[in-house]
Amino acid sequence: MITKFTLRKLRRLLILIIGWWILTLSPTIANTDKLPLTETLLQERINHPVLSQGNLTIDLSSLQIDLSDSNADFRILFYQQLQNKINRSTQPIGLDFSNSLIRGNFNIQSLGLSTPLSEAALPQTLSPAEKEQLRQDKHFVADSKTAIPSITIFRGILNLNTTLITNELDFSNTFFLQRVEMTESKILQTANFNETRFGKKSIFSKVKFSQDVNFSYSTFWDNTEFNQSQFSTHARFNSATFQKNANFREAEFKKLVDLSRSQWLDTADFSQVYWYDRVLFTKSRFFSTVSFSNTTFEKGGSFRSCRFKQGVNFQDIKLLDKIDFGNATFEQDSSLNVAGLAFDSDSAELSGDTGILGRAIYLTKLKGNEAVIRNLVRNFRYSEQIADANLVEYKAKQLKLKELTDQVWQVPFKQLFSFRWIETFWSWILLSLLLFSSNYGTSFGLVLGNGVIIIAFFGCIFWFIDRWRKWIPYPILPNRYDIICMTSSVSFLIILGIFNVFRCSQRPWATLSLLAVLLLPISIMGLSILYIRGRYHNLLKTSYLLMDGSLRELRLLIVRLPILPEFAFFRDRYSPLLWEKHWNWLNYYDFSCNNFLKIGFNDIRLRDQFLPNVVSLFAWYQWSLGLLYIALLFWTLSRTIPGLNLLIYLK
């Protein structure tokens, strides 16, 4: 028994079926009222071409053209008549199929002029400009001794705007010397543009490709437009070459898109494109900017082994699966703008070679991109691309420093030294120190280079104030051997540290300026006080440094202070450094390393009798810097060693 509920469901199903049938077949129905193309009408149109936008054109617009197998006689006549008219003319003649319905397969080879691509075989009817176009083809053969490929030449403008083609479209291996227009056309079967050359502008805007599309090995010599086109099944653009601007804005790709090994010599615009399936750009070359802004990648894509010479715009894209930049190359002027990038699913991922992708990522501002930065850092840490995660954080902190700089130095005078300004100022100081000293904890090499410079600098300072006592009346000075050893060693170590700074730091001069601020003012002031006042005290001929001679081993002295202990039993083990020993100059580096890194081979400390205050100042100042340096060193290691990093940051 059929209930009312069942009838209601059947009625809704019937309405949906009728609606679907109207939507899918409406183009065919709408075109059935067009005037059929007959032999008489064809002959009339061929004999009376019209002038359209300054070009001689055969008008076949708003017609029903039956080229199906059931109308084979007319199809043969159609191709023969048009081919004879077009190819025998001394000037290019175009074809206008706009707003027409073409039933059956449409083959451009039967309309164009087939010719070998060689200098000797070029038709005499071609103009010098047309011959020059053909010579630009990479398959053009100037030497008649080699194998000569053939191609179909179509000289005139081809207009297929709002045209419905019910069967296959075959434009393969054709060189269009003039403009091709297919705006709002519909192709219900496959479209073959394999190895096609477009000499002038080609327009495929709002075209609906219902079946597979093949643009493999095609060349677009001028601007091309695929904006708002719909590709219902597989689309192939592999090994295609775009010499000028390529516009795919707002296009839709329902199935797999193969753009591998393609070349883009000018700008490429994929803005607001919706990729329902995977897209392959593997081994493609982008010689200018490429934009994917507001694009949706539903199944991800591959940019493996791609080469980018200029900017890549990933602004405001929606990522639902993995995008792979493995083995991709970003040249010096290229960058990857990820402002507004959204990871819209758990499987969304951005991956590439460690250190390459993070270096290429670019953000214009911090405000509004906080979520982007968090997602990118989480993405790279999950993929164990620690260097990329650190680079993203470093770039984010650079943007933060820029904001703080504006807040500190561009405030009105009346707001200076307010509580909020002081808080911002200290945040600016701390962030500057972290950025310039360690690239915000992302470069262990930079931290190590800074440490080498500081240890060498203070080692030289301690040697100088300990050995260079006075000139008159009786000199107490180091011998020539000590001077040569110390000056050469400190020069080598400082040059090594500076080299490491330039190798690792994003802003090496800022890093060196920071070191100069930390080291030079206090050193110059202390040395000036020490030598202007002079030193006249007991034990003037004895070293200020005492060494524990009971053990000689590598020691971790993290809790050791740079002063001599008070207990007499321990004091008996310490004796002054022996100046006459040739290896004595190494002890000053040992003391500097002990005092700074809290690690060394000997326990060397300052004596507490007849010690100038300036000498004590140098020791305690370096010891304090050492505490900060050790904290910075461990923090940097925790962010750069993968095991420690994952333990700290991953859930």
Side-chain angles (χ1 to χ4, degrees), residues 209-273:
F209 297 97
S210 301
Q211 298 296 327
D212 291 355
V213 184
N214 185 6
F215 281 92
S216 301
Y217 299 95
S218 294
T219 302
F220 299 84
W221 292 98
D222 207 328
N223 297 339
T224 184
E225 296 181 6
F226 284 91
N227 51 301
Q228 300 184 35
S229 293
Q230 296 181 10
F231 298 82
S232 299
T233 57
H234 298 295
R236 297 176 60 188
F237 289 85
N238 55 295
S239 300
T241 301
F242 297 83
Q243 298 282 347
K244 294 291 183 66
N245 299 337
N247 180 8
F248 286 82
R249 181 182 290 269
E250 299 183 48
E252 292 184 2
F253 295 89
K254 300 295 181 66
K255 297 294 183 181
L256 177 69
V257 185
D258 187 1
L259 286 146
S260 58
R261 299 181 184 273
S262 55
Q263 296 192 56
W264 312 77
L265 279 74
D266 212 322
T267 58
D269 189 358
F270 292 93
S271 302
Q272 303 180 51
V273 172

Side-chain angles (χ1 to χ4, degrees), residues 169-344:
L169 177 69
D170 188 0
F171 283 6
S172 61
N173 198 34
T174 303
F175 202 128
F176 292 96
L177 299 177
Q178 298 295 330
R179 189 172 65 251
V180 177
E181 297 183 14
M182 293 187 66
T183 304
E184 297 188 41
S185 296
K186 301 177 182 65
I187 304 172
L188 303 184
Q189 297 296 325
T190 59
N192 187 5
F193 295 88
N194 184 50
E195 293 191 271
T196 301
R197 290 79 153 173
F198 298 90
K200 298 294 183 181
K201 186 175 183 178
S202 52
I203 303 175
F204 297 90
S205 302
K206 301 181 181 179
V207 177
K208 293 184 179 180
F209 297 97
S210 301
Q211 298 296 327
D212 291 355
V213 184
N214 185 6
F215 281 92
S216 301
Y217 299 95
S218 294
T219 302
F220 299 84
W221 292 98
D222 207 328
N223 297 339
T224 184
E225 296 181 6
F226 284 91
N227 51 301
Q228 300 184 35
S229 293
Q230 296 181 10
F231 298 82
S232 299
T233 57
H234 298 295
R236 297 176 60 188
F237 289 85
N238 55 295
S239 300
T241 301
F242 297 83
Q243 298 282 347
K244 294 291 183 66
N245 299 337
N247 180 8
F248 286 82
R249 181 182 290 269
E250 299 183 48
E252 292 184 2
F253 295 89
K254 300 295 181 66
K255 297 294 183 181
L256 177 69
V257 185
D258 187 1
L259 286 146
S260 58
R261 299 181 184 273
S262 55
Q263 296 192 56
W264 312 77
L265 279 74
D266 212 322
T267 58
D269 189 358
F270 292 93
S271 302
Q272 303 180 51
V273 172
Y274 202 110
W275 313 88
Y276 288 88
D277 210 316
R278 295 190 71 225
V279 53
L280 305 178
F281 281 96
T282 308
K283 296 185 178 180
S284 294
R285 300 291 182 267
F286 296 89
F287 294 88
S288 187
T289 58
V290 54
S291 176
F292 292 90
S293 63
N294 292 286
T295 295
T296 301
F297 291 92
E298 194 165 296
K299 294 292 182 64
S302 174
F303 290 86
R304 292 190 64 85
S305 301
C306 285
R307 181 179 293 274
F308 302 96
K309 291 184 70 70
Q310 295 188 25
V312 184
N313 188 359
F314 261 39
Q315 189 171 359
D316 297 320
I317 73 167
K318 297 178 181 179
L319 193 60
L320 286 85
D321 212 315
K322 182 178 179 179
I323 295 292
D324 185 7
F325 281 91
N327 204 31
T329 302
F330 292 86
E331 298 194 4
Q332 185 176 1
D333 295 331
S334 64
S335 60
L336 181 64
N337 185 357
V338 295
L341 184 149
F343 292 81
D344 279 1

Side-chain angles (χ1 to χ4, degrees), residues 58-73:
I58 297 176
D59 184 11
L60 296 175
S61 61
S62 302
L63 297 173
Q64 290 188 54
I65 304 173
D66 190 357
L67 303 178
S68 60
D69 293 338
S70 60
N71 199 17
D73 293 338

Side-chain angles (χ1 to χ4, degrees), residues 78-173:
F78 173 83
Y79 284 123
Q80 285 180 347
Q81 294 290 332
L82 285 176
Q83 189 179 46
N84 290 335
K85 179 65 175 180
I86 293 172
N87 295 336
R88 292 179 181 178
S89 174
T90 57
Q91 58 179 321
I93 298 179
L95 292 176
D96 184 4
F97 292 98
S98 59
N99 200 33
S100 291
L101 167 62
I102 302 177
R103 300 183 187 275
N105 298 336
F106 187 34
N107 189 345
I108 200 66
Q109 285 87 356
S110 300
L111 293 175
L113 176 63
S114 180
T115 180
L117 272 177
S118 68
E119 188 69 37
L122 291 180
Q124 296 300 319
T125 55
L126 297 179
S127 66
E130 291 174 328
K131 291 180 181 179
E132 187 61 32
Q133 278 186 278
L134 294 174
R135 292 190 187 100
Q136 295 177 7
D137 193 275
K138 62 182 179 180
H139 297 293
F140 187 84
V141 176
D143 187 0
S144 59
K145 296 180 181 180
T146 59
I148 302 175
S150 295
I151 195 172
T152 300
I153 300 174
F154 193 84
R155 301 174 62 196
I157 293 175
L158 182 61
N159 188 341
L160 289 164
N161 293 333
T162 65
T163 302
L164 174 62
I165 303 172
T166 61
N167 289 71
E168 296 180 2
L169 177 69
D170 188 0
F171 283 6
S172 61
N173 198 34

Side-chain angles (χ1 to χ4, degrees), residues 547-557 586-587 589-591 593-594 598-604:
M547 180 173 63
D548 180 4
S550 61
L551 291 174
R552 292 188 183 276
E553 60 185 9
L554 183 65
R555 304 179 184 183
L556 184 63
L557 307 170
L586 289 172
N587 288 320
Y589 287 125
D590 197 7
F591 177 72
C593 193
N594 284 346
K598 315 303 187 272
I599 188 172
F601 291 97
N602 300 290
D603 186 6
I604 303 176

